[in-house]
Amino acid sequence: MYNDLQILFVEDDELVRRATLQSLQLAGLEAFGLASAEAALERLSPEFAGVVVSDIRLIGMSGLELLAHCRQHAPEIPVILVTGHGDISMAVQAIRDGAYDFIEKPFAPDRLIESVKRALETRKLVLENRALRRELAQQGGRASRIIGRSPAMETMRALIANVAMTDAPVLINGDTGTGKEMVARSLHDLSPRRDAPFVALNCGALPEAIFESEMFGHEVGAFTGAAKRRVGKLEHASGGTLFLDEIESMPAALQVKLLRVLQDGVLERLGSNQPIRVDCRVVAAAKGDMEALVREGAFRRDLYYRLNVVTLSLPPLRERREDILPLFEHFLLDSAVRYGRPAPLLSERLRQELMQADWPGNVRELRNAADRLVLGVASTPEGGENTPLPLKEQVERFERSVLQEALEHSKGNVAATAEALQVSKATLYEKLKRYGLHTRGAGAEEGAR
């Protein structure tokens, strides 16, 4: 779970250092012991894949000075401080200054391991988030990877790689929300046309009266209200890829015109007799039974055969449940980047709920659920609340809501919140950290006194 993530444990007492390292390593964690903060600094950089655990009182540079260095030069690295009995007020100040957590001596190994695992999970998400930002930047903001480990997605990736370099028309079949446009974008991004436009048109979203103008363009005066020339989607996509979603909804009269363009590579704008040569690859998508529509005469047989050179079929999410968690985790990171929020951790219970949900809206619904979780407006998939929660989780949810309400009432003032709830500030800080609740910060609190 924490592959390639490390723990630097800084402690100048050799016996304590050895015993603690043994506990961490027995828990399956990769930990390294260092006798001084100076030695830790030699191994730290903003890209360090891990966390720091340090005693506050050290020979030479102190743990607080190490924290200050990390906050200045590598602020995303979690730092956990270990304190003595007399250092609690100092540790509370350290939390205000950005420490991830503090643990009071003497501590049980399980207490340290729990805190370290939470810090490692936080660091893992930060690194994944950073990698996703780089990937999104390289792709011009588009995450066009086909994600999933199911046999169906393995087959889909192989088929895309096989046909992407050709100009063969592709017909993508799948239920609503299965990711048909993502497949079309992947075909485009992996093709020689990747630097030309990818143009998408939903055939079911346009009134028939303006469909022809959208598809083929028009000249000035072609119809009432045509005050200026318009380049249609086919012409705009020349050199690139035209994606026609819900192709089954295309009006019958326009099916004839599209077939002619696909056969001859030439179109005429509305109100013009001037032929315009176009060269675009057409990728179509359908959510219904196209062969049944052809048999019923609702879709032209010749156009269907023209579009159906290569067929890619996307199964619904309920038929490839092993893809749910990888997709959801990817969407969480993507949402975190788009909304500038931290990516939340997934509890085991939420993972189970995600796996058990039906997801009638398929990948689109899953993405929306990830957005809601990142924005803090929902924590479970629709229908997940029907199953009673374990007592422990119900208590945690209640405690979190009480803390959040108290914080809002005190306008984020930690001292006032701790007094209202009759708990110590150290206990309050620990709970705020556990539940991911944020305060105004130390400066604001001091200014309120």
Side-chain angles (χ1 to χ4, degrees):
M1 186 176 183
Y2 305 113
N3 291 344
D4 302 324
L5 293 181
Q6 301 176 351
I7 304 154
L8 295 186
F9 179 65
V10 186
E11 169 61 69
D12 53 12
D13 186 317
E14 185 176 358
L15 292 178
V16 174
R17 186 170 68 247
R18 286 184 178 181
T20 304
L21 282 177
Q22 185 177 32
S23 297
L24 292 169
Q25 291 164 354
L26 286 174
L29 303 174
E30 186 176 0
F32 299 90
L34 300 170
S36 68
E38 289 84 355
L41 289 181
E42 295 177 3
R43 304 182 63 162
L44 291 176
S45 73
E47 302 300 320
F48 173 69
V51 303
V52 176
V53 181
S54 176
D55 194 0
I56 285 185
R57 299 187 182 278
L58 298 166
I59 298 174
M61 178 185 286
S62 71
L64 292 176
E65 290 173 309
L66 176 59
L67 171 65
H69 179 92
C70 287
R71 295 301 298 164
Q72 181 177 356
H73 300 286
E76 293 178 329
I77 296 177
V79 177
I80 299 171
L81 294 176
V82 179
T83 71
H85 284 297
D87 295 331
I88 297 300
S89 59
M90 188 186 303
V92 170
Q93 183 59 48
I95 291 288
R96 293 176 182 169
D97 293 340
Y100 181 83
D101 196 2
F102 71 85
I103 298 174
E104 185 180 0
K105 291 181 180 178
F107 55 84
D110 289 347
R111 168 73 177 88
L112 175 63
I113 290 168
E114 177 191 0
S115 179
V116 165
K117 284 185 174 180
R118 283 191 282 111
L120 286 171
E121 191 67 38
T122 298
R123 185 58 174 156
K124 175 185 173 184
L125 288 172
V126 166
L127 294 173
E128 288 176 346
N129 200 324
R130 187 182 298 167
L132 181 62
R133 286 178 186 272
R134 286 196 294 265
E135 181 179 341
L136 292 176
Q138 291 168 359
Q139 295 178 354
R142 296 197 307 266
S144 58
R145 293 185 300 158
I146 302 300
I147 296 170
R149 53 193 178 215
S150 65
M153 288 300 100
E154 293 288 352
T155 300
M156 181 63 63
R157 280 191 287 269
L159 288 171
I160 290 172
N162 187 39
V163 303
M165 296 299 291
T166 74
D167 278 339
V170 176
L171 179 63
I172 307 169
N173 289 319
D175 293 349
T176 298
T178 48
K180 297 186 287 294
E181 183 170 347
M182 188 67 73
V183 171
R185 285 189 178 275
S186 293
L187 286 165
H188 175 76
D189 291 344
L190 295 173
S191 76
R193 298 174 178 268
R194 66 179 67 90
D195 295 325
F198 174 90
V199 180
L201 178 65
N202 190 313
C203 301
L206 291 174
E208 186 171 348
I210 66 171
F211 196 108
E212 187 171 8
S213 173
E214 283 289 321
M215 178 76 83
F216 301 97
H218 64 254
E219 296 290 347
V220 176
F223 51 84
T224 302
K228 60 181 180 179
R229 172 185 288 176
R230 178 182 177 85
V231 172
K233 300 294 187 183
L234 272 164
E235 189 175 349
H236 181 50
S238 189
T241 302
L242 176 65
F243 174 57
L244 298 174
D245 198 7
E246 297 188 29
I247 189 71
E248 71 276 9
S249 302
M250 180 176 285
L254 297 184
Q255 294 178 27
V256 179
K257 293 194 68 172
L258 176 60
L259 178 62
R260 187 175 298 122
V261 174
L262 295 181
Q263 289 174 339
D264 303 336
V266 173
L267 63 79
E268 294 177 0
R269 298 192 191 109
L270 279 174
S272 171
N273 294 322
Q274 180 68 36
I276 299 171
R277 184 158 294 279
V278 292
D279 169 31
C280 64
R281 181 187 195 174
V282 175
V283 178
K287 62 181 179 182
D289 186 344
M290 289 295 293
E291 292 187 356
L293 293 175
V294 170
R295 288 194 302 270
E296 296 166 2
F299 197 87
R300 291 187 63 93
R301 185 178 301 273
D302 45 6
L303 178 58
Y304 172 65
Y305 288 143
R306 187 82 188 185
L307 295 171
N308 194 29
V309 175
V310 177
T311 301
L312 302 179
S313 297
L314 274 170
L317 203 52
R318 64 181 178 274
E319 294 180 6
R320 48 187 180 101
R321 292 189 177 275
E322 58 267 56
D323 294 337
I324 291 175
L325 291 181
L327 278 167
F328 194 77
E329 288 172 348
H330 173 79
F331 292 152
L332 279 181
L333 293 174
D334 182 43
S335 298
V337 169
R338 283 187 286 112
Y339 295 121
R341 299 282 185 89
L345 305 180
L346 294 182
S347 68
E348 186 57 36
R349 178 169 182 82
L350 180 53
R351 289 174 180 271
Q352 292 174 7
E353 290 176 349
L354 292 169
M355 290 292 289
Q356 292 168 4
D358 288 336
W359 302 112
N362 293 294
V363 176
R364 185 177 301 148
E365 183 184 358
L366 192 69
R367 178 189 289 274
N368 291 341
D371 281 354
R372 291 195 297 271
L373 188 58
V374 168
L375 292 171
V377 296
S379 59
T380 58
E382 293 181 6
E385 295 291 350
N386 294 331
T387 305
L389 294 172
L391 177 61
K392 180 176 182 292
E393 192 158 342
Q394 291 186 52
V395 170
E396 288 177 348
R397 287 194 179 190
F398 177 74
E399 185 176 52
R400 188 185 192 281
S401 68
V402 169
L403 289 169
Q404 190 165 23
E405 184 178 345
L407 272 176
E408 291 173 356
H409 187 265
S410 68
K411 299 181 180 180
N413 187 301
V414 174
T417 303
E419 183 177 353
L421 296 177
Q422 298 182 19
V423 297
S424 68
K425 286 194 289 184
T427 299
L428 180 60
Y429 270 112
E430 184 177 350
K431 291 182 180 296
L432 294 179
K433 181 68 71 174
R434 181 195 308 168
Y435 294 122
L437 298 174
H438 301 287
T439 65
R440 296 180 317 185
E445 184 181 339
E446 294 296 333
R449 294 178 180 174

